[in-house]
Amino acid sequence: MKVAVTFENGKVFPHFGKTSQFLVADVENNNVANEQILSTNGSGHGALAALLKEWGIDTVICGGIGQGAINALEAQGISIIRGVEMDARMALQAFANQALVDDPSRKCTHHEHEEGHDCGSHTCQ
């Protein structure tokens, strides 16, 4: 299974649609292998789903995420684990050990009512 973690400075980046990098790895039999950091090359929000599909990603680990991105990922057959706040490599290992749980309450909703909002100024809930 190929897993991608939103990534910045070694941590899980708090907003899926604004991440500029993913920590990507193969996870099998409680092991993490072939880690690499891949750039989004400016892609954001829903456009990230196609990029992740192109990379062969099965599951995304992130902090907050908006409904549009959730829909786009689900349409690509990519699973989501949201609400994760920790070191990105620790998140990968926790996933490998089946110790991460999706937190559906960590959904960004401000896009529906705030024009020009910058998610970089706070953690989405």
Side-chain angles (χ1 to χ4, degrees), residues 7-125:
F7 186 80
E8 184 177 75
N9 297 322
K11 305 253 185 235
V12 176
F13 188 70
H15 184 98
F16 172 82
K18 294 284 186 172
T19 194
S20 63
Q21 298 177 319
F22 285 94
L23 174 62
V24 175
D26 296 318
V27 176
E28 189 174 330
N29 299 324
N30 295 6
N31 293 311
V32 177
N34 304 319
E35 284 184 20
Q36 55 185 324
I37 297 171
L38 300 177
S39 173
T40 65
N41 294 318
S43 294
H45 292 95
L48 290 173
L51 182 64
L52 292 166
K53 184 67 172 181
E54 183 179 307
W55 292 345
I57 302 301
D58 300 296
T59 299
V60 168
I61 298 169
C62 62
I65 185 170
Q67 189 61 50
I70 291 168
N71 294 344
L73 289 167
E74 288 176 346
Q76 295 290 345
I78 299 171
S79 300
I80 308 161
I81 297 177
R82 59 202 143 178
V84 179
E85 296 180 16
M86 64 175 66
D87 176 88
R89 286 178 175 85
M90 287 176 62
L92 275 173
Q93 191 57 58
F95 176 81
N97 294 334
Q98 301 175 354
L100 277 186
V101 178
D102 179 41
D103 180 359
S105 71
R106 292 296 304 269
K107 185 171 90 171
C108 299
T109 58
H110 53 261
H111 300 289
E112 294 145 13
H113 60 85
E114 288 185 47
E115 192 170 320
H117 182 81
D118 179 10
C119 294
S121 64
H122 70 88
T123 300
C124 300
Q125 299 187 40

